[in-house]
Amino acid sequence: MLFFGIESSCDDTAASVIDASFEKDGIKYKLLSNIVSSQTDVHALYGGVVPEIASRAHAESISAVAETALEKAGIQWKDIEAVAVTFAPGLIGSLLVGVGFAKALAFSLNVPLIPVNHIEAHAAAAFLEHPELSPPALALIVSGGHTSFYSMDKSYALNEIGGTRDDAAGEAFDKVGRVLGLPYPGGAALDALAARGFEREEYKKIKLPSPSLPGGELEFSFSGLKTAAINQIHNIKQKLSLSEDEVLPEKTREDIAASLTNSIVSGIVEKLKTALIKTGYKRAILAGGVAANSHLRAAAQEVCRSLGAELFVPSIRLCGDNGAMTGVAGAMMYKCGVKAGLDLNAYASDEAAKEYIDDLKSKRGI
Ligand code: KG4
Ligand code: ZN
């Protein structure tokens, strides 16, 4: 069954065609196309996503992105059998562009419209390349907006069991990256800088707090770490008599990147260990934009191996926002009987998204 997945929750306009076959032992997926049009160049000028600009850019590019996804899949509009769209959580103006487009598409093709939660879609990306993966499982979603643990039940729904009290890990990477003079978003560039910093011991001299809050709860706080790292950068600049606008020497930037990465990654995997022990799950999913981080991928793999658990991580191109994950999550929702009407709205928060889906399920007796 051909699903058309649409994603526009933040600053990527994305569309994808997924062929899902519903089999006795689960759903099998084939990725036919996956087109992502990123707005990062525009937002880089402002050092972060400007919501008004993001929604306008989605409105401008969504038709072309959708047409390209269809063309790359080698099919025609009449072949599409369901339209899946991210309806929450995210920037409301951005989400509304995708939702409006998806409604028009589903209406004109006379096919089901499937509402998809962006966080569940990130986790769903892991199923695309791992047909052996099936729920229940632990899911750790780490992105620019989220750093949370979820338990995934048999209906693929995610229930939060812990997470950050303030900023997300991606935000910490991006804000520190900006002060280090990296273009927005700095996550990937900081990953490479840190790799060079880890080759030496000096980064250990830059002491930063752990984002993992003490105790057995699955809680993080990234805002203190972010501020501490930025203060360290300012202090080092002062010592070197550099002005605010001047860039630190390359080795110092590498050491700061390594120290920050070490704090973030160690803090996250410490809680991953706690979460696996607490829940007893033997399968874990690591997904979201920050799951592309090479150091996090390696450390999470190590923790899972030590506990005899299996880790499923999407390949890097499927970690950041994309339409393929929406298509896969759409197929999961469709299997569970979830369908939206043409009155589908967009919601900024995860709580509102959950409420809408629960209401939809109870009305349909699911
Ligand atoms: O999932 P995503 O594309 O958008 C949200 O839903 O937030 O995640 C974007 C985040 C950004 O903060 C970006 O810097 C971060 O993912 N990111 C990385 C890496 N690649 C992307 N962070 C650390 N290391 C990376 N390699
Ligand atoms: Zn995302």
Side-chain angles (χ1 to χ4, degrees):
M1 180 169 173
L2 294 179
F3 285 77
F4 197 80
I6 299 171
E7 155 64 39
S8 70
S9 66
C10 189
D11 60 344
D12 291 304
T13 319
S16 166
V17 180
I18 294 282
D19 189 359
S21 34
F22 298 92
E23 294 170 13
K24 258 199 228 112
D25 58 340
I27 316 170
K28 301 285 178 284
Y29 306 96
K30 222 156 93 188
L31 177 62
L32 301 190
S33 68
N34 192 23
I35 305 299
V36 182
S37 165
S38 171
Q39 306 170 3
T40 47
D41 287 355
V42 188
H43 300 293
L45 301 171
Y46 306 93
V49 178
V50 183
E52 166 85 14
I53 295 176
S55 9
R56 286 174 183 274
H58 284 306
E60 273 168 15
S61 59
I62 196 158
S63 278
V65 168
E67 290 283 355
T68 313
L70 192 78
E71 205 177 290
K72 283 268 153 67
I75 57 163
Q76 296 180 342
W77 284 120
K78 64 174 175 44
D79 301 322
I80 296 295
E81 294 166 281
V83 175
V85 63
T86 307
F87 77 104
L91 299 172
I92 202 75
S94 290
L95 287 164
L96 281 168
V97 176
V99 167
F101 189 87
K103 280 188 195 185
L105 193 56
F107 177 73
S108 61
L109 299 174
N110 194 23
V111 297
L113 175 67
I114 319 290
V116 167
N117 179 314
H118 182 71
I119 304 169
E120 293 184 353
H122 270 304
F127 288 76
L128 187 57
E129 297 159 311
H130 297 285
E132 72 281 20
L133 172 59
S134 64
L138 175 75
L140 167 56
I141 308 299
V142 195
S143 71
H146 296 87
T147 303
S148 294
F149 287 101
Y150 303 85
S151 65
M152 180 185 270
D153 65 25
K154 285 217 177 272
S155 69
Y156 307 96
L158 295 183
N159 294 299
E160 189 166 355
I161 53 172
T164 180
R165 283 189 185 172
D166 41 54
D167 299 342
E171 208 173 328
F173 276 125
D174 294 342
K175 291 268 162 65
V176 178
R178 191 178 168 188
V179 181
L180 281 176
L182 300 174
Y184 175 86
L190 212 135
D191 187 346
L193 268 186
R196 296 195 285 278
F198 283 130
E199 287 168 10
R200 302 180 300 269
E201 294 290 308
E202 280 88 346
Y203 79 90
K204 292 182 182 160
K205 290 186 197 147
I206 299 171
K207 303 276 183 228
L208 290 173
S210 170
S212 144
L213 293 178
E217 298 308 313
L218 303 172
E219 288 191 329
F220 302 107
S221 166
F222 289 92
S223 89
L225 167 62
K226 184 183 75 184
T227 311
I230 292 173
N231 285 344
Q232 289 262 18
I233 297 171
H234 291 318
N235 290 344
I236 299 171
K237 277 191 177 175
Q238 255 178 3
K239 270 192 205 145
L240 296 174
S241 305
L242 292 173
S243 73
E244 285 293 300
D245 304 332
E246 281 175 291
V247 179
L248 286 168
E250 195 59 10
K251 280 199 167 167
T252 314
R253 294 168 88 215
E254 291 169 2
D255 291 342
I256 294 166
S259 177
L260 177 75
T261 303
N262 182 48
S263 283
I264 292 180
V265 169
S266 314
I268 292 176
V269 299
E270 185 188 318
K271 291 296 184 190
L272 172 60
K273 191 170 183 173
T274 310
L276 284 167
I277 294 169
K278 248 184 153 171
T279 60
Y281 285 130
K282 288 292 170 208
R283 283 184 288 254
I285 296 165
L286 169 64
V290 181
N293 187 275
S294 59
H295 315 283
L296 179 60
R297 294 168 85 91
Q301 200 64 260
E302 194 49 49
V303 160
C304 287
R305 198 175 301 130
S306 73
L307 293 173
E310 216 176 335
L311 181 70
F312 299 89
V313 196
S315 59
I316 289 178
R317 75 193 169 111
L318 293 174
C319 285
D321 294 347
N322 63 82
M325 66 188 201
T326 317
V328 172
M332 291 168 168
M333 298 296 275
Y334 179 83
K335 188 179 178 223
C336 299
V338 176
K339 263 193 315 186
L342 289 176
D343 59 349
L344 175 66
N345 208 340
Y347 301 92
S349 80
D350 193 25
E351 293 72 34
K354 273 211 132 20
E355 218 170 283
Y356 168 78
I357 294 290
D358 287 347
D359 192 45
L360 206 82
K361 281 184 172 171
S362 82
K363 276 188 192 141
R364 293 179 149 260
I366 301 167

